[in-house]
Amino acid sequence: MTPMTPMTPMALPYDVDDPALARATWSRLAEPDNATAAMVVGRIGPSPALRWLLEEAIDPSGQVRSSPRPPVPQPPPGMPGSADIGACWAQVAARWAPRLEGLDIRRELDVLDRLGGSLILPGEPWWPPGLDQLERPPFCLWVRGDPSLLVSAGDLKEAGMSGDRAGSGPRNRNDGAQADLSSADTGGRAEALGCEAIVGTRSLPVREQRMPAGPANGLSLALVGARACTRYGEGVATSLASGVTARGGLIVSGGAFGIDACAHRGALCEGPTVSVSAGGVDRLYPVGNAGVLEAVIANGALVAEVPPGCQPGRHRFVSRNRVIAAISGATIVVEAAWRSGALSTAHRALDMGRPVGAVPGPVTSMSSVGCHRLLRKGAVCITDADDALELLTPLGTVDADTVKEQDPGLVGDGLLDGLEPDSAVVLDAMPARASATTEAIVRSGGLSLKETTTALGVLELMGRVERTATGWRRRR
């Protein structure tokens, strides 16, 4: 008998031991925020996990084995521990196997390269450290635009730019694009702020260099809300975004209709902005926002955790929101219905211990009930850019109440508004129309002669009282 030739295991047409190719492959095989994929890749690594799927879970004919050797000695998340572990992993493999057919992730990487994009891996300098706080972080990030906006100088300093965060920067950018980013005109701020990070022999630009100077320089703020927003919401979102950006803060949003689009437009008036997409970065979705998203790419960055070609399915919007929350230092919701998807961004931020704010609206507006729901649960009330900056920046950097107290436009027009206590007592003690002597005002007000005389002098300088032949009177 002729001996049977052993069948070779299923294989992909590229090196699955390459970390970039392996992580990019997992971003295509598994849905974002998938607990099982995150567990197996996190426990044994992207390449070993891929080899398990190709060599252990699937037989050479391309069929999923009924009970493959488990990649880890426990069942997948959400499955009972009493069940056959091998059979449980077979169910998981059956979800991923169909996407292996004809898969060559190098095609998606070629698309990214043609678009001038970058593939960012965990541990690389421009990987946002906030993503590592997620229970199920992305396998990689597909970026169009400037990836340096994803990290601050503080992030790189905290990471030490050594060990697991040391790297060669983003992948899949041509040398010219890298040079453009490194030599970008930063108005001298880079040297003044010490913002460049040194990796090997290269200096990497970071967020501070791209943003205007101000108290929020280097910080990022998620500004999200309803698609079906009102004119009030549009105005507030635009004002908040432009105000925060003008003072150094980076606005992060989702690129959707409504509040997201207004946030990006407002930010672009003053500087860059970042949009996180639910689909591939080659698909500017929604199409109606293509102009805004093109401006985001040209001046900021468009980010996705799924490869080019992936549709922005509804289920991916919720998982996208966790990325928005994770790469931002704080989150503000401008308008949201009771069950708005924007609330999931706020809840993710709360889960990670990030500050959350909400903009109040009319109590009769269905577009604001979600914001009022957040406010009842302890979110900070946000009414203007100063409130937003106070939420985002370290304690004491911005005092929104002090700023408002010094705003002459907010001073009331009441008789005693804006007066010190003694001046208020003296002015209130004076007759409404007639004049009164100093002694009469002393008796009426209950202050000493010295205190009354001093207060009258202050009121005269303020133009609130005037001298007459018979004493003092209020100025009309």
Side-chain angles (χ1 to χ4, degrees), residues 28 43 64 74 113 171 205 209 230 243 259 261 264 267 301 345 437:
R28 181 67 184 89
R43 293 278 292 275
V64 177
Q74 63 190 76
D113 191 43
R171 300 165 187 262
Q209 296 171 248
T230 65
I259 297 300
H264 291 310
T345 309
T437 63

Side-chain angles (χ1 to χ4, degrees), residues 442 448-455:
V442 168
S448 68
L449 177 62
K450 181 179 180 181
E451 290 171 328
T452 301
T453 303
T454 300

Side-chain angles (χ1 to χ4, degrees), residues 63-86:
Q63 300 299 312
V64 177
R65 292 187 169 96
S66 60
S67 186
R69 177 188 63 82
V72 295
Q74 63 190 76
M79 293 192 179
S82 58
D84 179 358
I85 295 181

Side-chain angles (χ1 to χ4, degrees), residues 94-277:
R95 300 171 188 164
W96 299 331
R99 292 184 174 179
L100 288 169
E101 185 177 352
L103 175 61
D104 187 346
I105 201 63
R106 294 174 299 182
R107 289 194 295 263
E108 283 84 347
L109 289 168
D110 286 343
V111 172
L112 184 69
D113 191 43
R114 288 196 297 273
L115 294 171
S118 311
L119 184 72
I120 313 295
L121 304 184
E124 291 185 339
W126 286 338
W127 178 260
L131 294 177
D132 296 328
Q133 297 181 27
L134 292 172
E135 183 180 2
R136 297 181 286 273
F139 300 112
C140 59
L141 291 180
W142 304 75
V143 182
R144 287 180 68 184
D146 186 357
S148 70
L149 291 169
L150 300 180
V151 295
S152 67
D155 294 334
L156 297 181
K157 183 178 180 181
E158 185 176 340
M161 293 315 302
S162 60
D164 61 347
R165 286 301 298 275
S168 58
R171 300 165 187 262
N172 232 39
R173 290 194 67 96
N174 58 51
D175 293 339
Q178 287 276 32
D180 290 343
L181 283 175
S182 297
S183 61
D185 178 18
T186 59
R189 284 201 309 276
E191 293 77 5
L193 295 172
C195 293
E196 287 189 343
I198 307 300
V199 181
T201 59
R202 292 192 302 113
S203 60
L204 290 176
V206 286
R207 185 185 299 148
E208 285 88 338
Q209 296 171 248
R210 293 292 316 280
M211 304 304 301
N217 185 262
L219 303 177
S220 56
L221 174 69
L223 194 60
V224 297
R227 290 173 175 81
C229 62
T230 65
R231 286 186 177 273
Y232 163 77
E234 290 176 354
V236 172
T238 303
S239 175
L240 288 176
S242 61
V244 170
T245 304
R247 297 173 72 180
L250 175 72
I251 296 298
V252 179
S253 198
F257 287 129
I259 297 300
D260 287 13
C262 291
H264 291 310
R265 290 191 186 99
L268 287 166
C269 292
E270 302 291 343
T273 179
V274 169
S275 178
V276 182
S277 175

Side-chain angles (χ1 to χ4, degrees), residues 356-376:
V356 171
V359 175
V363 295
T364 55
S365 173
M366 295 302 294
S367 297
S368 291
V369 292
C371 292
H372 300 157
R373 182 182 180 185
L374 287 174
L375 290 169
R376 290 181 61 203

